Amino acid sequence: MAEHHKPAPAAVPVHDLIRHRWSPRAFEARAVEPEKLRSLFEAARWASSSYNAQPWAFIIATKDDPAGFKKVLDSFVEFNQAWAKNAPVIGLSVAALKMPHDGSQNRHAFHDVGQASTTLALQATALGLQIHQMAGILPDKAREIFHIPADHEAVAGFALGYTGDPESLPEPLKQRELGPRERKAVSSFVFEGKWGTPAPAVAGK
Ligand SMILES: Cc1cc2nc3c(=O)[nH]c(=O)nc-3n(C[C@H](O)[C@H](O)[C@H](O)COP(=O)(O)O)c2cc1C
């Protein structure tokens, strides 16, 4: 597990990998070993997807390639650039918007990119790394910088590496790094019989 822990205070037992995955903004400068990087994307590769279309692609850059790193960083919004610039690896996820078998719109493209990203994130946690995903990207700029084709779209940015010292962050990011992890109750999103009626089997007390 990563050095700086922030385990989820799960209401009922869940797998340790799920409890220990979290989204840090402080990263160690230490590089991510190439074999670990390969393992992360191998994990993403084995995500499930609608029609097994595997609509995901990733554009990555490591700190040891300053020009490539800047290209990815430039496609993040300023708020995210401020902390993501310290991560050893940053990247973008990209969705293929059309089904390869008939060219129709893939309604689940973003969903399945999310699945691959989650698989990658859990593998990262298993290897002592963490990944922080970002909606705060500039998709049009990313398209221009990386020549992303028209039938593809940048979905999210990410930063990954070994978690760093929260003290290295400026306020208010430091407080957020150290703050509690919060979630809605399961009863507020698992329904049975009618929209809005909590499913008794999972609602708890
Ligand atoms: C698709 C997606 C977009 C996100 N966008 C941002 C972002 O732009 N900037 C940021 O600092 N955090 C971002 N986050 C991180 C979330 O705020 C974080 O996952 C959430 O607060 C839950 O915390 P946890 O991942 O540590 O459990 C994003 C997460 C996801 C999955």
Side-chain angles (χ1 to χ4, degrees):
M1 297 298 164
E3 198 177 318
H4 292 276
H5 300 264
K6 203 172 169 182
V12 297
V14 295
H15 197 283
D16 260 2
L17 267 183
I18 294 164
R19 285 183 57 242
H20 286 277
R21 182 217 58 81
W22 68 289
S23 304
R25 292 193 181 85
F27 289 95
E28 273 186 29
R30 173 157 60 125
V32 176
E33 299 82 344
E35 64 275 17
K36 287 196 178 180
L37 258 190
R38 281 197 293 275
S39 171
L40 299 186
F41 292 101
E42 183 66 17
R45 181 179 173 228
W46 287 102
S48 61
S49 61
S50 176
Y51 282 86
N52 199 18
Q54 304 159 62
W56 46 78
F58 298 92
I59 297 170
I60 63 167
T62 54
K63 255 294 169 46
D64 54 11
D65 168 19
F69 197 87
K70 183 178 180 319
K71 280 167 68 176
V72 175
L73 204 60
D74 282 349
S75 56
F76 295 170
V77 299
E78 265 180 48
F79 169 81
N80 287 328
Q81 285 188 19
W83 57 267
K85 67 173 192 284
N86 298 316
V89 184
I90 55 176
L92 292 161
S93 60
V94 178
L97 304 174
K98 291 185 175 161
M99 282 294 189
H101 66 279
D102 63 1
S104 64
Q105 186 207 350
N106 182 355
R107 205 173 78 77
H108 293 95
F110 273 46
H111 175 275
D112 291 345
V113 171
Q115 296 223 101
S117 300
T118 295
T119 311
L120 187 158
L122 292 173
Q123 183 66 35
T125 302
L127 296 173
L129 298 155
Q130 295 292 359
I131 178 167
H132 193 136
Q133 300 183 62
M134 291 163 244
I137 60 167
L138 305 165
D140 293 341
K141 197 162 178 190
R143 183 182 298 289
E144 191 184 307
I145 294 173
F146 294 105
H147 306 287
I148 296 171
D151 55 357
H152 288 63
E153 189 172 331
V155 177
F158 61 86
L160 78 92
Y162 295 96
T163 53
D165 185 353
E167 296 294 329
S168 67
L169 293 170
E171 296 289 0
L173 293 187
K174 185 176 125 186
Q175 284 318 314
R176 280 164 77 170
E177 198 84 339
L178 296 168
R181 298 186 64 195
E182 287 164 354
R183 290 297 192 269
K184 296 189 274 190
V186 166
S187 57
S188 74
F189 64 84
V190 184
F191 307 141
E192 195 171 317
K194 184 163 78 66
W195 179 261
T197 302
V202 299
K205 341 186 215 24

